[in-house]
Amino acid sequence: SLILPNFRLPKQAMGMVLGRISEEMPAHTVLARASTYEVRRYARSVVAECSYGAGGWGGGDDGSPFGALARYIGVFGKPQNDKEKIAMTAPVLVTPEPIAMTAPVLVSPGAEGQATHTMAFVLPASKYSSIADAPKPLDPRVTLRQLPERVQAVRTFSWNFRPEAAKKNLDILLDDLAKDGCWAVERGADGQPRWQAAGYNPPFALPFMKRNEVLVDVQPNPNCPKAEE
């Protein structure tokens, strides 16, 4: 008779499959809650970033920035930095970055609004409060950046962490913020909202148990309709 081995996942791995998040997360306070989003004030933090390149998020090379960042903190063995292994945190951040203007300007079909993205790991704030504290990357693709204290409106969604889902939920969040009128969306020089997408779970977590978010930089609107009630 065929005897099958009794496979048992470690308790921590099973928790990850079910969407449990045990990693350190960025410190924040909740300023306001609405039915479909909440507004948070995040403390300063240090991130390690890597660009997706011209293809952008979802362009077919999504593993490249993650691999570079994972090697920087030492997920696959010896860390590629000048100091020590760094604990993994959650979430992983993806930020759209407009491509810098160059000369000459070449206009091609489909080039309008072209953008790239960066992936970022937030370093543990309990250990690294500034770039000077953080281990220096050995891979030139990985850079460190200090994020300032910031206020962001946040919408949470589940299933897989993909650009299409993030954009759909971003549009819903922007629409809800416009309807409520209490939080003004901050925009860049290109007129686009300043936003990020955040993924909290590994790819093997059950899709309907995953926690993903879209975050938009906002400021209080002094003409909030609710303040007049």
Side-chain angles (χ1 to χ4, degrees), residues 24-44:
E24 180 178 336
M25 291 185 281
H28 67 270
T29 55
V30 177
L31 302 181
R33 284 191 174 93
S35 59
T36 58
Y37 66 89
E38 67 180 24
V39 178
R40 304 172 188 163
R41 175 179 282 116
Y42 280 93
R44 281 164 41 100

Side-chain angles (χ1 to χ4, degrees), residues 172-228:
I172 295 172
L173 176 57
L174 292 172
D175 187 56
D176 289 343
L177 289 168
K179 288 177 181 176
D180 289 352
C182 289
W183 298 93
V185 174
E186 293 192 359
R187 299 180 181 273
D190 59 354
Q192 296 300 310
R194 294 176 180 166
W195 70 285
Q196 296 171 311
Y200 285 80
N201 308 99
F204 55 79
L206 294 173
F208 58 88
M209 300 293 286
K210 290 182 177 180
R211 173 183 169 185
N212 309 306
E213 294 175 341
V214 284
L215 307 91
V216 177
D217 290 4
V218 296
Q219 290 296 332
N221 182 359
N223 299 318
C224 172
K226 294 179 182 178
E228 300 173 359

Side-chain angles (χ1 to χ4, degrees), residues 22-161:
S22 58
E23 295 83 6
E24 180 178 336
M25 291 185 281
H28 67 270
T29 55
V30 177
L31 302 181
R33 284 191 174 93
S35 59
T36 58
Y37 66 89
E38 67 180 24
V39 178
R40 304 172 188 163
R41 175 179 282 116
Y42 280 93
R44 281 164 41 100
S45 55
V46 180
V47 297
E49 296 181 317
C50 183
S51 174
Y52 279 90
W57 183 25
D61 196 23
D62 285 4
S64 178
F66 182 88
L69 293 170
R71 284 187 287 273
Y72 162 68
I73 68 172
V75 170
F76 305 128
K78 184 179 179 181
Q80 289 189 0
N81 66 59
D82 69 346
K83 193 180 295 184
E84 61 196 351
K85 192 167 185 175
I86 304 169
M88 185 70 182
T89 63
V92 171
L93 299 174
V94 177
T95 305
E97 299 285 352
I99 294 178
M101 180 67 72
T102 60
V105 176
L106 302 177
V107 180
S108 303
E112 183 178 352
Q114 184 183 12
T116 186
H117 302 82
T118 59
M119 175 180 282
F121 285 5
V122 183
L123 303 190
S126 58
K127 192 167 186 179
Y128 310 111
S129 60
S130 69
I131 291 176
D133 297 332
K136 292 181 176 59
L138 301 181
D139 186 335
R141 295 175 299 167
V142 177
T143 57
L144 301 178
R145 183 161 67 98
Q146 182 90 50
L147 293 184
E149 182 180 280
R150 59 212 178 275
V151 176
Q152 295 180 304
V154 184
R155 175 181 171 84
T156 303
F157 62 101
S158 60
W159 293 87
N160 289 327
F161 187 55

